[in-house]
Amino acid sequence: MAAKDRDRFSTATRIRLIGEQTAARVYRSQTKRQARRSRLTGRAALLALVVCSLVVALAYPMRQYVSQRAEIADLQQEQDKARKRVEQLRDMKARWQDDAYAEQEIRRRLHYVMPGETGYIVIDPDQAGTSRTDHGAADRPWYSNVWDGVDKADAADR
């Protein structure tokens, strides 16, 4: 036994044991690496490359398609609004072709009266005290006064 014990504690035996343990660790790590490598094959890498290239190749056309669909939707909304406006204008044209409606609007807007009728204009009491001369209309040329009158009449309709 003494020879075995001496053998067990000898430097050569210890180095050999350390070497065997290290070799076992290296062998285990190499088998793990090989197992990991075997998961990703050449076919899988090629498939991933093809999928990535397809995604890159189709990204721009898909973006264009989506933006064009949005533009088409906007144009359809504008077209619907234009159709509604055309219908309103047709209705207004039909109303203006009726003599009774035209006469009513002329009376309302231009304050026309039929022969034998008396026309009245109700003036706001707050504005009745102000005079036209207060606005400085006499100091300006006549065409400026006319243009201001047109602007005021246009603003009143709005």
Side-chain angles (χ1 to χ4, degrees):
M1 261 299 193
K4 263 188 169 178
D5 285 338
R6 197 173 17 138
D7 229 13
R8 196 171 96 188
F9 293 114
S10 73
T11 307
T13 308
R14 277 193 254 156
I15 289 176
R16 188 172 31 101
L17 229 132
I18 291 173
E20 288 173 0
Q21 290 173 351
T22 306
R25 278 192 219 128
V26 168
Y27 177 74
R28 274 187 264 140
S29 68
Q30 284 179 350
T31 55
K32 286 182 183 178
R33 282 187 201 148
Q34 287 175 354
R36 277 189 234 136
R37 281 189 210 150
S38 64
R39 289 183 193 164
L40 182 64
T41 63
R43 286 183 183 175
L46 182 63
L47 179 65
L49 181 67
V50 168
V51 168
C52 288
S53 62
L54 283 175
V55 166
V56 169
L58 294 177
Y60 182 73
M62 286 303 294
R63 193 179 108 222
Q64 289 293 87
Y65 174 76
V66 169
S67 67
Q68 286 174 358
R69 294 302 299 172
E71 187 176 348
I72 287 170
D74 291 342
L75 290 174
Q76 285 175 342
Q77 286 179 350
E78 285 182 30
Q79 185 180 20
D80 291 341
K81 287 180 185 177
R83 282 186 182 145
K84 288 178 184 176
R85 179 70 179 143
V86 166
E87 286 299 319
Q88 289 174 351
L89 291 174
R90 283 184 183 156
D91 291 344
M92 188 181 294
K93 181 182 175 185
R95 274 189 264 143
W96 276 102
Q97 288 177 350
D98 182 23
D99 290 338
Y101 178 78
E103 182 181 329
Q104 177 188 355
E105 287 297 309
I106 289 169
R107 285 174 168 240
R108 186 179 65 85
R109 291 183 184 186
L110 302 176
H111 306 288
Y112 278 27
V113 292
M114 296 299 284
E117 294 178 353
T118 305
Y120 294 98
I121 298 177
V122 179
I123 299 175
D124 187 16
D126 295 335
Q127 291 183 355
T130 61
S131 170
R132 287 183 159 227
T133 58
D134 293 343
H135 299 304
D139 298 339
R140 297 184 305 172
W142 65 270
Y143 49 85
S144 296
N145 294 335
V146 170
W147 193 251
D148 286 344
V150 169
D151 286 341
K152 287 179 186 175
D154 187 40
D157 287 342
R158 291 183 190 166

